[in-house]
């Protein structure tokens, strides 16, 4: 057992405290995901431009959002929202809670508020990677549902492949087996590890420094979230591009897949579309991560305080 000084903050470490935190992260992440989902689908569509099955005009962020709303209706901006919300319950539940405990493990006998940067980085990557490994099936369904509207508009599909979360589970299992839910799992896990390397580590570090000047208030959370969102986007966008394309790819005419893995995807994208294509969706990704984290961290911290656990430290 880790020394008391290195244990996670607030509310104890027993099963009841963990369950309480899990419920609070679920509520907070669902609010954050629902509020920022239109930005996420716009980001995904930008990342899919240039793929083998893409036809039509290339758009920027604003143009893509307007095109989705025009061709698919306002509901098109929420295609895949159900699996996206479902994904965040286990994903954010594990990464946010696990980070506190993994950080304590890496800290050894040092107090949590003196955790070295490397301990925070290791905790962020570990918690994010494991959390995503649990949530990959929902992530895959989300990406496919987000991409279907593009294929319908291009005439590749008569209608979206799936009507909802449970319909997608049934059809993917029947057509591809259980392994089909883990197509692109490694890029997704790599992306999550990099996101949380930037997100949790930066939020933790930024808040520790900013709180000395502003106090633990909304301004502190806003500034920490902006810093966190930028670093997380910078670290993760290339992996996010690979994840979106691999999860959404379909077999070519000769029966082969366009990409065999993350490195192969990066090589082909850089060769055919230029190196900057690896950062497609960076701006909407950052614009989403900042508000997402603001909604998540503000609601999560307030809920922790209201339930007697205490703020995140």
């Amino acid at each position: 057992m880790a020394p008391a000084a290195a244990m996670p903050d607030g509310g104890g470490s027993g099963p009841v405290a963990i369950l309480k935190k899990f419920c609070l992260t679920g509520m907070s992440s669902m609010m954050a995901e629902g509020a920022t989902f239109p930005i996420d689908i716009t980001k995904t569509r930008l990342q899919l431009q240039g793929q083998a099955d893409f036809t039509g005009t290339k758009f920027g962020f604003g143009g893509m959002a307007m095109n989705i709303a025009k061709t698919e209706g306002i509901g098109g901006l929420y295609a895949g929202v159900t699996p996206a919300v479902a994904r965040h319950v286990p994903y954010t539940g594990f990464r946010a809670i696990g980070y506190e405990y993994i950080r304590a493990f890496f800290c050894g006998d040092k107090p949590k508020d003196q955790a070295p940067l490397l301990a925070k980085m290791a905790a962020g990557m570990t918690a994010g990677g494991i959390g995503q490994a649990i949530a990959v099936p929902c992530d895959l369904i989300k990406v496919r549902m987000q991409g279907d509207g593009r294929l319908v508009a291009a005439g590749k599909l008569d209608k979206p492949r799936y009507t909802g979360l449970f319909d997608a589970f049934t059809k993917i299992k029947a057509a591809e087996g259980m392994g089909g839910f883990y197509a692109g799992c490694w890029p997704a896990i790599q992306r999550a590890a990099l996101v949380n390397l930037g997100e949790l580590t930066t939020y933790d570090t930024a808040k520790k420094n900013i709180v000395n000047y502003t106090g633990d208030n909304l301004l502190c959370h806003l500034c920490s979230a902006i810093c966190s969102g930028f670093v997380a986007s910078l670290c993760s966008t290339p992996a996010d591009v690979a994840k979106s394309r691999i999860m959404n790819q379909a077999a070519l005419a000769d029966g082969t897949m366009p990409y065999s893995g993350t490195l192969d995807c990066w090589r082909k994208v850089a060769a055919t579309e230029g190196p900057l294509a690896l950062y497609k969706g960076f701006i909407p990704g950052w614009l989403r991560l900042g508000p997402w984290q603001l909604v998540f961290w503000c609601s999560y911290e307030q809920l922790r305080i209201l339930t007697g656990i205490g703020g995140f430290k």
Side-chain angles (χ1 to χ4, degrees):
M1 179 179 295
M7 291 302 289
D9 57 287
S13 58
V16 174
I18 294 174
L19 179 60
K20 187 184 292 186
K21 291 179 182 178
F22 185 80
C23 292
L24 298 185
T25 58
M27 293 171 61
S28 300
S29 62
M30 285 190 285
M31 288 189 286
E33 190 69 13
T36 62
F37 190 80
I39 303 176
D40 185 47
I41 191 171
T42 303
K43 176 205 70 175
T44 300
R45 294 285 182 87
L46 286 171
Q47 292 172 339
L48 293 176
Q49 286 186 149
Q51 204 167 13
D53 59 6
F54 172 75
T55 58
T57 306
K58 288 191 176 183
F59 296 97
F61 174 54
M64 177 63 78
M66 292 178 64
N67 183 65
I68 294 171
K70 179 181 178 180
T71 58
E72 302 168 44
I74 297 300
L77 292 169
Y78 282 89
V81 68
T82 302
V85 170
R87 164 187 176 257
H88 266 286
V89 174
Y91 171 58
T92 299
F94 183 88
R95 70 189 181 99
I97 300 169
Y99 175 79
E100 296 183 63
Y101 291 84
I102 298 170
R103 180 186 60 182
F105 173 79
F106 283 121
C107 279
D109 59 357
K110 291 184 178 180
K112 59 181 179 295
D113 59 354
Q114 295 179 19
L117 182 61
L118 286 178
K120 295 177 182 179
M121 293 171 66
M125 292 189 72
T126 304
I130 296 174
Q132 178 61 27
I134 297 170
V136 163
C138 285
D139 200 14
L140 177 133
I141 292 172
K142 180 198 79 169
V143 170
R144 289 192 181 182
M145 290 181 70
Q146 286 180 329
D148 275 3
R150 176 182 65 96
L151 296 177
V152 171
K156 301 290 185 179
L157 293 174
D158 294 329
K159 61 181 181 179
R161 290 172 287 182
Y162 316 115
T163 59
L165 177 62
F166 295 107
D167 180 58
F169 266 113
T170 302
K171 289 179 178 177
I172 293 172
K173 182 179 179 181
E176 305 172 43
M178 291 302 296
F181 292 111
Y182 289 88
C185 65
W186 286 114
I189 291 170
Q190 291 161 0
R191 182 244 180 207
L194 291 171
V195 164
N196 287 280
L197 166 64
E199 181 181 330
L200 291 171
T201 304
T202 304
Y203 187 88
D204 189 1
T205 303
K207 181 180 177 182
K208 178 185 174 183
N209 289 281
I210 295 171
V211 74
N212 295 326
Y213 300 96
T214 65
D216 194 355
N217 53 28
L218 181 61
L219 178 60
C220 174
H221 302 157
L222 173 63
C223 294
S224 300
I226 291 172
C227 295
S228 178
F230 178 77
V231 176
S233 297
L234 194 65
C235 291
S236 67
T237 298
D240 198 24
V241 169
K243 183 206 76 167
S244 294
R245 294 198 177 197
I246 291 171
M247 283 186 165
N248 204 61
Q249 67 182 337
L252 301 174
D254 61 2
T256 62
M257 288 295 187
Y259 311 114
S260 61
T262 302
L263 293 178
D264 181 59
C265 181
W266 286 346
R267 179 179 61 81
K268 290 178 178 176
V269 169
T272 59
E273 303 170 50
L276 289 179
L278 295 174
Y279 276 88
K280 281 185 175 181
F282 172 78
I283 295 299
W286 181 26
L287 290 176
R288 176 176 182 262
L289 275 173
W292 195 100
Q293 291 186 75
L294 177 61
V295 174
F296 172 76
W297 285 110
C298 287
S299 59
Y300 180 48
E301 296 221 52
Q302 291 303 310
L303 288 170
R304 283 176 62 120
I305 292 170
L306 289 172
T307 53
I309 295 177
F312 180 87
K313 297 179 181 178

